[in-house]
Amino acid sequence: MARTLTRPKLRPAQPEVPKSKFDRNAIDAAPAPAPEIPPRPCGVLDCADAEQIRAVAKSAFGPTDAPSRTRSRDSGLRTLLDHLASFPGTTWQERWQTSGLNTRGRPVRDLAEGDGPRAWMTQGLEALFCLRIIQPTLEAFRSNQFTEYPKAFHTAQQDPALEAFFTAVEATGTSRHWKRRAVFDVCTALTTQGIAFADLTPEAFLHYARTTRDAALSAYSYATYVGHLAWQVMHETGHFPNSAPSTLRAALRAPKLTCQELVAQHGINNAAVRDLLIQYLERRSHDLDYSSLTSLSYALGRTFWKTVETVNPDQASLQLSEDTYQHWREAIRTLDNGKPRRTEDAVFTTVRAFYYDIQAWAGYEPERWANWAVPCPIPHREIRAGAKRRRRTRERMADQTRQLQPLLPALVRYVEDKHRTMAALLADGTGPDDVVAIDSRIYRRLFTAADRRRASLHGVANVRFQDEEADKAINVTLAEDTAFWQWAIVEALRHTGVRIEELLELSQLSIRQYQRPNGEVVALLVIAPSKTDRERVIPVSAELFHVLACIIRRLTNGRSSVPLATRYDEHERVTSEPQPFLFQRRIGQRNEVMTTGAVREMLRRVCGRLADEDPRFGDLKFAPHDFRRLFATDLVNNGLPIHIGAALLGHLNLETTRGYVAVFEEDVVRHYQTHLARRRTMRPQEEYRPVTDTEWQEFEEHFDKRKLELGNCGRPYATPCSHEHACIRCPMLHVDPKMLDRLAEIETDLLTRRERAESEGWLGEIEGVDLTLSFLKSKRAEALRLSRATAVDLGMPAPRERDR
């Protein structure tokens, strides 16, 4: 196996390691139980003399080692065993523990003098670990710097299962660095837990990953988990059971809390009220998703009752006095951080529903609820006042939308220019210190010792340039990747108007096509249904299709299909089955679907940088949902009626996605279909009623009526032209870049009309022509922007090997 290094210097112990957000894991981390027969690949050597151990080491490692390494290891073994022999104990393990070397920060190299002997001592310790003569703690193991530990461990174990794991890691498409890390993590876990590879369970490997992180033993940062690639390979090869999470990150994520746990986390003192809240949540849980259930628990447990106990510790029933209610009412006006609470109306509604539910249920189950049925302390005037506050909130949101609308073109232009610049730099083939000019800015290529080191670890170095004007070094490899996803997210959000969760759920299987009887192919995008919104089927515009094609081309670079990745639902706390999600990024050892928080932060940073160039962005920031509001100002609904979309998709027929089976395994397609079917059960069945002949004919004609002289009309399905066919002024007109010459002719005609109007003094005509000219210029600018987009070659999908 390739040379593997630990980090060059052990990090000092950190008494306050950053607290992980993964406090509760999907599985319980625990070290592997001690095996009945400990692994002893070269026999039991626990009490053997030094000469016998040295002879066994030469026999085990000699055939694969260079003669010089055999001599240096033997010398280190002799010196280290002589040192350990001076400590009490009947076995080498007991002497190791009493020597003081089985702790953090005591590397054996410190026992020797000179660079050569220091390395020999480490090689001798490596042999004792690999032969399973000594089992170190994880801290002691990581205190020593091993250069080829996986190779030595692999050689000594002679384990076919471990051999298969090494082979599977080597077959992954990751860099040499992450392959080294994967085998190093497994070998370290086996060594420190004293087990064979067959005994390495998900719980045991999770314990290794958590201990490494919690003890600040990671090579990257105190908050980094190790072992992602190793876990993925062990799951894919069947070493881990199917019931285990498919990724280490999924194993680290907290599972759903029970109703008892949801209430217990708020620290309610009154046991009777605590039990009441648990019963109430259990009763409501059948009608709510997990996100709604957690919100309900927080509103009733923390915001309502825990605050009541704070203002009146003696409160024992739900019947609040006017004084207690007023104190509670005042207490919830502000959050814990001192900021005013904007959701107090939602709290009032939740608490009132809590009281009214109990009153209603008391009539059916008096033995369970009657003792708690009391009048609601929140008067109806609070609800009336809440309606006014909600109107003010809607007004603020509408005002924000009006302020953001003129800023959208600037945002689109910025992310597009940024991506184009970074892509041009990344594609530039200049050598070190060469100068490149892009958009009047000068960039000088950099290549340092750090770049050479990365090239040796990962096979390729990052492309870095110095921005001479800003006097700033740019990691173009990372900057281009970030700029691409910023552009893709902005474009996808503004062209679809989907929620951020819906965007991140899109996969390659969400893209469908419908072939009309005349042979025309219509691209469609399927938005999965949820409990709060129906399924939508969106006709894909040329601009959106370009974005989707660029994403697929990027993800399939060097591979036959979009890689499979899992997505964690932050609201439901479930991890999806691996699917070809579109909005995924490579993060070190793993492919991860972006989180909603990462997308929000990405947009926030873009707006922050734009504020340096455009003062209008100083106080305004785009959030993902702002694009949905902006989209809604232009389009009421860009989706087809779902019963027509269902007929197009044939959602009751698995054959609709058979075309993907040539690329993806059948279980991947089945997971996607199961996901859609599960979501569809949440929606009313009438949404999927049969399509009438009239509706189908209108659907077919819709696409014909969208075709115009200058391009295509993007108006929603089943809506008439709202601008009386004044297409130049209509925001729904998407001009085909091929019609730029026709736009020039129209502009000439308009200018001629304006001259005539000026000569005749027709002021109203002048105003109308000027307005049309302004729209024409914006249409031309948009068409010119689209004309710069190059065609994206997606290649031909390659069938799987077993299908050939």
Side-chain angles (χ1 to χ4, degrees):
M1 194 69 189
R3 176 185 176 92
T4 302
L5 300 175
T6 62
R7 46 189 166 72
K9 184 178 181 180
L10 186 70
R11 295 178 180 273
Q14 298 293 309
E16 295 184 0
V17 175
K19 183 179 176 66
S20 171
K21 67 178 180 180
F22 305 112
D23 293 323
R24 297 173 62 256
N25 304 139
I27 59 176
D28 295 326
E36 295 182 4
I37 303 177
R40 295 293 187 265
C42 297
V44 179
L45 302 173
D46 298 12
C47 302
D49 57 47
E51 293 302 321
Q52 182 180 358
I53 292 174
R54 291 169 59 193
V56 171
K58 288 181 180 179
S59 174
F61 302 110
T64 60
D65 276 346
S68 60
R69 188 173 182 84
T70 300
R71 291 192 297 270
S72 62
R73 178 188 285 112
D74 183 66
S75 178
L77 263 175
R78 183 180 65 250
T79 306
L80 181 57
L81 291 172
D82 289 345
H83 175 77
L84 293 177
S86 63
F87 293 93
T90 57
T91 66
W92 293 108
Q93 179 68 29
E94 293 173 354
R95 295 169 187 145
W96 166 259
Q97 291 173 340
T98 57
S99 68
L101 296 173
N102 202 28
T103 58
R104 186 187 185 111
R106 289 291 308 278
V108 297
R109 67 185 183 210
D110 292 347
L111 302 175
E113 297 181 358
D115 293 338
R118 287 163 65 91
W120 301 345
M121 295 291 285
T122 303
Q123 293 172 15
L125 183 65
E126 176 185 83
L128 294 178
F129 289 168
C130 292
L131 295 174
R132 304 300 186 104
I133 299 172
I134 292 175
Q135 180 183 335
T137 62
L138 182 58
E139 290 82 358
F141 183 93
R142 294 303 300 267
S143 296
N144 293 273
Q145 299 179 24
F146 301 108
T147 58
E148 296 182 350
Y149 190 79
K151 176 184 176 182
F153 187 84
H154 178 215
T155 300
Q157 302 313 298
Q158 301 177 10
D159 183 350
L162 184 62
E163 170 70 29
F165 170 75
F166 272 61
T167 302
V169 170
E170 192 62 33
T172 60
T174 56
S175 67
R176 291 185 297 120
H177 173 75
W178 296 119
K179 293 176 182 178
R180 297 168 187 165
R181 288 291 170 191
V183 295
F184 180 82
D185 287 332
V186 167
C187 293
T188 303
L190 299 181
T191 300
T192 57
Q193 298 188 33
I195 57 176
F197 183 72
D199 298 323
L200 184 60
T201 62
E203 293 79 6
F205 194 72
L206 180 61
H207 177 268
Y208 161 74
R210 290 215 62 165
T211 304
T212 301
R213 190 263 182 195
D214 294 342
L217 296 171
S218 170
Y220 314 108
S221 72
Y222 297 122
T224 298
Y225 286 99
V226 299
H228 290 279
L229 180 60
W231 184 292
Q232 176 184 330
V233 171
M234 286 188 283
H235 190 276
E236 290 177 351
T237 56
H239 178 76
F240 286 167
N242 292 332
S243 58
S246 58
T247 64
L248 176 62
R249 195 166 179 83
L252 289 166
R253 285 164 173 150
K256 295 181 180 180
L257 295 172
T258 64
C259 292
Q260 291 85 348
E261 292 169 331
L262 285 172
V263 175
Q265 63 185 347
H266 302 305
I268 295 174
N269 298 323
N270 190 310
V273 175
R274 184 169 60 246
D275 292 341
L276 171 67
L277 292 177
I278 292 173
Q279 294 178 42
Y280 181 78
L281 291 180
E282 289 175 342
R283 178 73 173 264
R284 293 291 310 278
S285 64
H286 303 294
D287 305 320
L288 301 175
D289 55 29
Y290 183 74
S291 178
S292 302
L293 189 67
T294 55
S295 299
L296 181 63
S297 167
Y298 187 86
L300 295 178
R302 174 67 181 86
T303 308
F304 175 53
W305 192 256
K306 187 60 181 177
T307 307
V308 168
E309 288 186 337
T310 301
V311 300
N312 184 8
D314 297 329
Q315 184 69 37
S317 72
L318 296 183
Q319 191 161 5
L320 307 184
S321 66
E322 181 64 21
D323 184 63
T324 299
Y325 168 72
Q326 292 299 335
H327 280 86
W328 171 78
R329 175 72 177 81
E330 185 64 28
I332 68 167
R333 288 183 182 275
T334 57
L335 300 170
D336 294 338
N337 58 10
K339 295 182 178 180
R341 184 188 299 274
R342 294 185 176 181
T343 59
E344 59 181 17
D345 294 327
V347 175
F348 293 151
T349 302
T350 301
V351 174
R352 281 173 63 89
F354 172 59
Y355 275 84
Y356 292 150
D357 283 342
I358 291 178
Q359 292 173 17
W361 297 344
Y364 298 98
E365 298 178 83
E367 70 283 356
R368 185 176 183 183
W369 306 104
N371 291 339
W372 297 99
V374 297
C376 178
I378 302 175
H380 187 65
R381 65 175 180 272
E382 293 284 7
I383 303 302
R384 290 197 301 269
K388 296 180 181 179
R389 288 190 290 268
R390 287 191 293 273
R391 284 198 297 270
R392 300 294 179 270
T393 300
R394 287 194 294 269
E395 290 171 1
R396 287 197 302 270
M397 294 170 58
D399 182 63
Q400 182 182 18
T401 301
R402 284 191 293 270
Q403 295 182 58
L404 290 175
Q405 194 164 21
L407 300 185
L408 182 58
L411 176 67
V412 172
R413 187 165 53 251
Y414 175 83
V415 294
E416 189 175 71
D417 292 345
K418 186 72 173 179
H419 174 234
R420 187 175 64 254
T421 299
M422 292 298 106
L425 286 175
L426 187 64
D428 191 273
T430 57
D433 293 326
D434 287 351
V435 175
V436 179
I438 298 178
D439 294 338
S440 73
R441 294 181 76 95
I442 304 299
Y443 300 89
R444 180 171 54 84
R445 179 69 183 269
L446 301 176
F447 193 82
T448 64
D451 296 319
R452 283 191 290 271
R453 181 174 182 273
R454 180 175 177 82
S456 66
L457 290 175
H458 295 276
V460 61
N462 286 330
V463 176
R464 299 193 307 121
F465 277 85
Q466 178 81 9
D467 186 339
E468 298 292 355
E469 180 177 334
D471 193 24
K472 177 182 178 181
I474 304 173
N475 185 334
V476 176
T477 302
L478 297 180
E480 188 277 336
D481 186 67
T482 300
F484 172 83
W485 288 112
Q486 289 171 348
W487 168 77
I489 287 170
V490 168
E491 290 293 290
L493 286 174
R494 79 183 185 97
H495 284 302
T496 61
V498 297
R499 295 178 176 86
I500 180 59
E501 293 82 4
E502 295 170 338
L503 179 77
L504 299 180
E505 281 187 344
L506 293 178
S507 75
Q508 189 174 2
L509 299 173
S510 303
I511 305 172
R512 308 291 185 86
Q513 67 179 30
Y514 167 67
Q515 187 168 9
R516 299 183 59 202
N518 62 4
E520 179 185 2
V521 175
V522 179
L524 303 169
L525 189 64
V526 182
I527 308 300
S530 67
K531 279 191 174 181
T532 58
D533 203 354
R534 65 178 190 172
E535 181 176 3
R536 280 109 70 210
V537 183
I538 300 176
V540 178
S541 65
E543 296 90 335
L544 179 58
F545 194 87
H546 176 71
V547 175
L548 298 176
C550 288
I551 293 174
I552 293 174
R553 181 59 177 169
R554 189 179 195 85
L555 296 177
T556 56
N557 186 26
R559 62 177 73 235
S560 60
S561 63
V562 173
L564 303 182
T566 59
R567 178 182 177 271
Y568 180 64
D569 190 325
E570 300 167 346
H571 300 292
E572 294 299 310
R573 290 194 182 179
V574 293
T575 300
S576 72
E577 296 289 347
Q579 293 186 36
F581 289 107
L582 295 182
F583 288 87
Q584 59 172 285
R585 298 181 72 179
R586 185 73 180 174
I587 305 175
Q589 312 168 53
R590 64 191 190 277
N591 286 330
E592 278 285 322
V593 177
M594 301 176 202
T595 64
T596 56
V599 173
R600 291 190 182 96
E601 177 64 16
M602 193 178 291
L603 291 174
R604 188 192 66 80
R605 291 181 179 178
V606 169
C607 294
R609 296 190 182 100
L610 253 175
D612 298 334
E613 305 175 7
D614 190 335
R616 295 179 299 171
F617 284 86
D619 299 325
L620 292 174
K621 299 290 186 293
F622 276 86
H625 209 72
D626 290 327
F627 293 93
R628 183 172 176 83
R629 297 192 186 99
L630 290 169
F631 185 86
T633 61
D634 292 331
L635 300 179
V636 178
N637 178 7
N638 197 40
L640 301 173
I642 187 54
H643 67 291
I644 293 181
L648 283 172
L649 298 174
H651 69 273
L652 297 179
N653 183 1
L654 190 62
E655 295 299 323
T656 55
T657 51
R658 281 298 173 197
Y660 285 108
V661 176
V663 179
F664 298 109
E665 294 289 343
E666 291 187 25
D667 59 346
V668 175
V669 179
R670 187 172 63 254
H671 290 154
Y672 175 75
Q673 291 288 350
T674 302
H675 166 71
L676 273 184
R678 177 171 53 82
R679 290 290 185 84
R680 283 166 175 156
T681 59
M682 303 176 183
R683 304 299 304 162
Q685 287 300 314
E686 55 267 21
E687 289 184 359
Y688 298 94
R689 63 181 175 82
V691 182
T692 66
D693 294 339
T694 302
E695 288 174 329
W696 191 259
Q697 183 179 359
E698 291 175 351
F699 161 72
E700 289 283 356
E701 292 175 351
H702 168 72
F703 295 98
D704 291 327
K705 293 178 180 179
R706 285 162 55 113
K707 297 176 181 178
L708 304 171
E709 176 192 18
L710 294 175
N712 285 284
C713 177
R715 69 177 184 270
Y717 171 78
T719 58
C721 178
S722 59
H723 293 84
E724 298 180 355
H725 301 283
C727 297
I728 291 293
R729 297 186 181 185
C730 180
M732 298 297 100
L733 173 64
H734 303 302
V735 176
D736 188 334
K738 298 178 181 179
M739 302 304 294
L740 284 170
D741 291 341
R742 176 58 180 150
L743 274 183
E745 295 175 4
I746 295 175
E747 183 179 29
T748 301
D749 291 341
L750 288 171
L751 292 174
T752 302
R753 284 176 54 191
R754 195 182 191 284
E755 291 176 359
R756 172 70 185 279
E758 283 184 337
S759 64
E760 299 290 346
W762 299 335
L763 299 183
E765 182 73 10
I766 293 173
E767 182 180 1
V769 170
D770 286 344
L771 181 61
T772 304
L773 283 171
S774 66
F775 278 103
L776 186 145
K777 291 178 181 178
S778 65
K779 296 294 183 186
R780 179 166 52 199
E782 180 68 12
L784 287 171
R785 185 183 68 83
L786 293 176
S787 67
R788 293 196 295 267
T790 58
V792 180
D793 180 14
L794 295 179
M796 292 297 292
R800 289 176 284 117
E801 192 66 33
R802 66 181 179 85
D803 293 334
R804 295 180 177 176

